[in-house]
Amino acid sequence: MAGSTLEIKDLHVSIEDQEILKGVNLTITGGEFHAVMGPNGTGKSTLASAIMGHPKYEITQGSVLLDGEDVLEMEVDERAQAGLFLAMQYPSEISGVTNSDFLRSSINSRREEGDEISLMKFIKEMDEAMDYLDMDKNMAQRYLNEGFSGGEKKRNEILQLMMIKPEIAILDEIDSGLDIDALKVVSKGINKLRNENFGCLIITHYQRLLNYITPDKVHVMMQGRVVKSGGPELAQRLEAEGYEWIKEELGIEDETVGQKA
Amino acid sequence: MTVETKLPYDLEYISQFSQEQNEPEWMKSLRLQALEQADTLPMPTPDKTKIHNWNFTNFKHNATGGTIQSLDELPQEIKVFFDTENQNQNLVIQRNQTAAYASLSPKLKEQGVIFTDIFTAMNKHSDLVQRYFMQDAVSVDENRLTALHAALMNGGVFVYVPKNVVVEEPLQSVFWQEDPEAATFNHVIVVAESNSSVTYVENYISHNKEEEAVANIVTEVIAHDNANISFGAVDNFAQGTTVYVNRRGVAYRDAVIEWALGQMNDGNTVSENITHLIGDNSVSNAKTVTVGRGKQSQNFTAKIVHFGQQSEGHILQHGVMKDSATSVFNGIGKIEHGAAKSNAEQESRVLMLSKDARGDANPILLIDEDDVTAGHAASVGRVDPMQLFYLMSRGISKQEAERLVIHGFLAPVVKQIPIQAVREQLTEVIERKVY
Ligand SMILES: Nc1ncnc2c1ncn2[C@@H]1O[C@H](COP(=O)(O)OP(=O)(O)OP(=O)(O)O)[C@@H](O)[C@H]1O
Ligand SMILES: [Mg+2]
């Protein structure tokens, strides 16, 4: 079998004693691109953050396995070292730390001591990736995300993705705030990684992104769980008709997580 | 007056000491007068820090050190402060109170630049030193410690840059308290005449943990019309030394004084950094960083007083507090009546690394003039967990992530330190103190 497999089984997540995820099941395997869609406030970012180990989210039930290893037992950095990556909906700004120093530390954290990437090789790879993403070279020496525009931050997430080359990536609204050209560039970057060793979970509200990155599977989240799955045609139908028909089909009145199912 | 502040040094001792240093008469009488004043003057009263039971009396006043023929003789912990690759030609090393090593490039000598230990300066340039010694900046009778400083002054340097001379290479002093009990009563004077410019950097180092000592330092920085002084310092006294350091600047018309102070002492410290913007269009940027650890208590005042019109004063204080260290940061912008169109900005930020540490940031604006601009910002907080999550989600360990955030937090001041070796040293000291 090629690539890694991320299995999410019956995942329940609470924040400050309020249950937000109520049993999510999802399996992503190397080579597959999955899209997760769903109205606002239905638990998509919560799912992404919980998988990566955000300290605020408490897992109350279920499991997350990466190639059979218990992800939930790992620290955040160990999850990354194991091959997970999360492009965040709202990336942090970190003053005084240059983008390039940060990236080099990130890459080296996944390599053995003594086998660090050479500065030459790093600069070359970074230059190439920045060219590919149409990024201003000055961005390398600027402080991490500090003062970056919304679109620049998103591009910077993809730059990290391209350089870190994880096994499984979760991209949370990587398309939000991007203009048309940036959307194309970012999609190009993600598609470049598409191969049988790379699996991706793409959280988005818009079919537009999926026009550039065709998903193998599309899932819809409501009330803190996956309520419907299908192929790319599901995303197209959502774009055309919205979510009302799914709610009717499943007898859901309020799709947000606050509601009891 | 409490008993502990009685000193074992009397008029006779000081007279004798002055004689041994071959000092001019004016200095001797200044010392003797200062000692008498010390008896009646009050101790300084740093806001919110109690210093009454700090050690200001237990020290060895007279401690000499061996001279140094070549920098190679120095131990590694002192060597690290120099750029050994392209060695700085303008260097003074003071070992306890002995001027152990001194060099100044022939070119600067020719241009009339003076850079020597304070005793040599008093001998060779008595009038010049007298003109500036506790005259325009710090007064002898400000408090008991300034008076004691004058009475017991036992080291320091004198820097003088004549009119129109631009000193390109930085001047560097290293003050090494080698004897664990030696007192550092250093006096540093930096004078830049009209249209001149100079960069000066100093390091204070000691390694005394259990043994007690006192540092009582007064520094006077005078920038005449259109002069430019960039002043960098890394203070790194060990736990046993109690420090009072008073660094004061006076800027005349169109003059600029830049301060970059790495305040890395491990003992109790009162640090005052005050700049008087006397002339129109004068400018001062005062940037300081500090890391507090252990049980030390520190009080930092950064103050800029505007007298001249259109004068610009910016204060930036960044501090990191760990263990059960306590620090008070006072950022004070004062605009006097008549200093129209001046601008006073101040920012104090404290990062807390433990729940027992205490940090207090007090930005204060005192404005006596209508036509001015001013602003201040202050914060005391913890490392943002979202920042740590973000960094760790890329594989960076928690410790490394914290390290990055802390260095990033201190970077705005660290990168202002003029000499690369000193900058690297400061970074290393920060590293050592934080972990
Ligand atoms: N830190 C938090 N504190 C309190 N409630 C939270 C917190 N984080 C998330 N929630 C709640 O959990 C629910 C799900 O939020 P989540 O961010 O996962 O939604 P989402 O599907 O990503 O929405 P969107 O499409 O708007 O990004 C929301 O009701 C939200 O208010
Ligand atoms: Mg979201």
Side-chain angles (χ1 to χ4, degrees):
Chain A
M1 188 188 68
S4 292
T5 300
L6 181 71
E7 290 171 275
I8 302 152
K9 290 185 196 158
D10 191 31
L11 189 67
H12 289 247
V13 174
S14 291
I15 180 158
E16 285 150 19
D17 287 336
Q18 196 204 337
E19 185 164 68
I20 292 171
L21 295 190
K22 299 166 184 175
V24 174
N25 290 288
L26 206 58
T27 299
I28 302 153
T29 297
E32 294 175 0
F33 276 26
H34 293 234
V36 170
M37 306 184 79
N40 294 127
T42 51
K44 302 181 299 297
S45 293
T46 303
L47 174 64
S49 300
I51 294 170
M52 204 66 223
H54 190 298
K56 265 204 161 173
Y57 297 88
E58 191 198 345
I59 315 290
T60 53
Q61 198 180 315
S63 65
V64 178
L65 303 176
L66 182 64
D67 297 329
E69 299 274 340
D70 187 351
V71 169
L72 301 179
E73 281 297 309
M74 301 178 195
E75 297 295 330
V76 178
D77 55 325
E78 292 169 339
R79 298 181 196 204
Q81 287 159 18
L84 291 177
F85 179 94
L86 169 61
M88 299 192 194
Q89 187 171 359
Y90 304 107
S92 290
E93 300 190 4
I94 296 164
S95 184
V97 178
T98 65
N99 217 2
S100 90
D101 283 350
F102 159 69
L103 252 175
R104 202 142 68 94
S105 297
S106 301
I107 290 169
N108 284 333
S109 75
R110 299 192 37 167
R111 302 168 67 114
E112 293 298 318
E113 215 171 306
D115 183 39
E116 285 88 1
I117 188 169
S118 78
L119 187 58
M120 291 288 281
K121 184 158 187 273
F122 171 75
I123 291 173
K124 187 166 164 282
E125 282 188 16
M126 180 142 175
D127 270 356
E128 282 170 9
M130 289 183 94
D131 279 341
Y132 201 81
L133 294 172
D134 252 337
M135 284 174 78
D136 184 345
K137 292 281 161 58
N138 289 333
M139 294 284 199
Q141 290 315 316
R142 278 179 58 184
Y143 291 152
L144 180 52
N145 291 327
E146 190 178 65
F148 285 26
S149 75
E152 285 167 349
K153 281 183 184 160
K154 298 293 178 170
R155 255 184 236 228
N156 205 34
E157 293 291 283
I158 298 306
L159 174 69
Q160 293 168 37
L161 174 69
M162 290 177 73
M163 304 241 351
I164 291 174
K165 302 186 191 75
E167 271 68 44
I168 303 278
I170 303 163
L171 312 178
D172 193 357
E173 298 202 20
I174 197 66
D175 52 340
S176 74
L178 292 183
D179 63 39
I180 303 286
D181 291 338
L183 185 69
K184 283 186 192 162
V185 166
V186 160
S187 307
K188 192 175 78 166
I190 298 166
N191 280 325
K192 185 160 192 266
L193 296 174
R194 198 161 198 164
N195 70 45
E196 59 179 13
N197 292 317
F198 176 64
C200 197
L201 192 153
I202 301 164
I203 297 170
T204 181
H205 286 291
Y206 305 106
Q207 167 62 28
R208 214 175 48 173
L209 177 70
L210 304 180
N211 288 338
Y212 296 107
I213 310 172
T214 314
D216 300 295
K217 290 194 179 123
V218 174
H219 311 276
V220 177
M221 278 188 74
M222 285 185 186
Q223 295 179 329
R225 60 168 78 84
V226 175
V227 294
K228 195 166 185 69
S229 298
E233 73 290 339
L234 176 56
Q236 277 157 14
R237 185 163 174 203
L238 292 174
E239 177 82 355
E241 301 177 29
Y243 290 105
E244 220 36 57
W245 63 276
I246 298 186
K247 286 163 71 178
E248 265 167 40
E249 202 175 285
L250 300 172
I252 294 171
E253 298 211 334
D254 184 336
E255 71 282 8
T256 59
V257 298
Q259 300 306 306
K260 302 276 171 277
Chain B
M1 200 169 81
T2 46
V3 187
E4 306 97 58
T5 55
K6 268 276 178 253
L7 281 174
Y9 303 106
D10 56 12
L11 292 170
E12 196 182 332
Y13 172 85
I14 284 174
S15 218
Q16 175 80 20
F17 183 78
S18 178
Q19 217 130 21
E20 279 164 19
Q21 317 304 319
N22 252 327
E23 284 178 1
E25 202 49 41
W26 65 263
M27 185 63 197
K28 187 167 147 190
S29 49
L30 185 145
R31 282 182 186 277
L32 295 175
Q33 205 189 343
L35 186 68
E36 283 181 24
Q37 286 174 302
D39 267 349
T40 52
L41 285 166
M43 287 292 280
T45 50
D47 201 25
K48 296 186 185 169
T49 304
K50 291 202 171 64
I51 64 168
H52 62 271
N53 55 3
W54 291 16
N55 169 42
F56 282 110
T57 48
N58 189 14
F59 54 81
K60 197 198 291 180
H61 179 252
N62 202 345
T64 53
T67 57
I68 298 158
Q69 303 307 326
S70 146
L71 297 185
D72 297 334
E73 296 168 24
L74 290 166
Q76 189 53 31
E77 69 250 38
I78 302 298
K79 264 189 205 155
V80 290
F81 289 94
F82 315 109
D83 201 340
T84 36
E85 303 252 305
N86 38 67
Q87 196 179 317
N88 191 346
Q89 286 199 63
N90 312 310
L91 179 63
V92 167
I93 302 174
Q94 179 180 311
R95 199 165 179 176
N96 298 326
Q97 65 202 54
T98 303
Y101 182 93
S103 83
L104 181 63
S105 80
K107 184 175 157 228
L108 292 181
K109 273 184 203 159
E110 218 165 276
Q111 288 177 309
V113 172
I114 301 169
F115 178 38
T116 69
D117 69 275
I118 192 91
F119 295 109
T120 304
M122 278 191 292
N123 277 309
K124 288 198 184 158
H125 314 278
S126 174
D127 291 350
L128 205 48
V129 178
Q130 186 180 13
R131 157 76 187 81
Y132 290 104
F133 194 97
M134 301 188 90
Q135 299 299 322
D136 299 357
V138 178
S139 316
V140 172
D141 62 359
E142 277 180 27
N143 58 54
R144 184 178 301 154
L145 293 180
T146 52
L148 284 177
H149 167 86
L152 293 168
M153 194 274 287
N154 66 0
V157 300
F158 182 73
V159 176
Y160 179 81
V161 184
K163 254 188 195 169
N164 303 326
V165 173
V166 173
V167 180
E168 307 272 1
E169 292 294 305
L171 311 182
Q172 184 180 8
S173 300
V174 174
F175 301 112
W176 175 21
Q177 182 210 321
E178 186 183 22
D179 181 326
E181 293 170 344
T184 307
F185 278 61
N186 256 19
H187 198 93
V188 173
I189 296 176
V190 179
V191 177
E193 293 282 11
S194 308
N195 306 315
S196 70
S197 96
V198 64
T199 296
Y200 169 84
V201 179
E202 63 185 17
N203 301 93
Y204 283 97
I205 309 148
S206 81
H207 296 97
N208 51 321
K209 285 215 165 64
E210 304 301 327
E211 303 93 337
E212 295 198 328
V214 172
N216 179 337
I217 297 161
V218 172
T219 297
E220 305 184 276
V221 172
I222 315 287
H224 286 286
D225 291 355
N226 201 35
N228 198 317
I229 299 177
S230 171
F231 189 108
V234 178
D235 300 349
N236 196 12
F237 281 106
Q239 200 178 322
T241 302
T242 303
V243 181
Y244 172 72
V245 54
N246 186 334
R247 291 191 173 100
R248 193 157 310 168
V250 179
Y252 294 99
R253 186 176 46 76
D254 299 318
V256 179
I257 299 179
E258 307 272 1
W259 302 97
L261 309 177
Q263 313 206 75
M264 298 294 154
N265 297 334
D266 275 322
N268 291 343
T269 298
V270 171
S271 165
E272 272 180 43
N273 173 218
I274 302 178
T275 305
H276 289 170
L277 298 174
I278 304 288
D280 293 350
N281 289 312
S282 53
V283 177
S284 183
N285 288 301
K287 301 188 175 178
T288 71
V289 285
T290 188
V291 176
R293 67 169 169 181
K295 292 189 179 121
Q296 71 178 143
S297 168
Q298 300 188 91
N299 188 293
F300 302 100
T301 296
K303 179 174 176 180
I304 297 179
V305 190
H306 300 247
F307 297 91
Q309 295 194 358
Q310 289 172 52
S311 53
E312 274 290 325
H314 295 251
I315 293 169
L316 182 70
Q317 298 175 299
H318 278 197
V320 173
M321 290 299 120
K322 57 177 279 197
D323 303 334
S324 48
T326 304
S327 285
V328 177
F329 297 85
N330 302 305
I332 307 171
K334 186 161 197 284
I335 303 184
E336 300 289 347
H337 185 65
K341 303 212 159 25
S342 288
N343 180 33
E345 301 286 343
Q346 50 193 269
E347 191 179 327
S348 307
R349 307 243 176 242
V350 187
L351 196 57
M352 310 292 283
L353 299 186
S354 87
K355 61 179 190 326
D356 297 326
R358 300 203 41 176
D360 200 336
N362 310 307
I364 300 164
L365 284 170
L366 304 164
I367 298 180
D368 220 352
E369 168 65 46
D370 294 332
D371 184 15
V372 298
T373 53
H376 60 71
S379 64
V380 176
R382 303 194 171 277
V383 176
D384 176 4
M386 274 313 289
Q387 288 187 333
L388 291 184
F389 176 59
Y390 186 73
L391 293 170
M392 288 175 73
S393 77
R394 301 307 186 242
I396 296 171
S397 70
K398 181 157 191 213
Q399 170 160 330
E400 177 68 7
E402 276 181 349
R403 202 182 70 82
L404 285 173
V405 171
I406 291 163
H407 278 288
F409 174 73
L410 299 176
V413 181
V414 175
K415 69 178 190 202
Q416 272 327 273
I417 298 278
I419 295 174
Q420 192 185 341
V422 179
R423 201 161 48 235
E424 283 167 6
Q425 196 47 36
L426 175 58
T427 306
E428 225 166 87
V429 172
I430 290 171
E431 193 95 333
R432 216 173 38 235
K433 291 194 78 169
V434 173
Y435 297 105

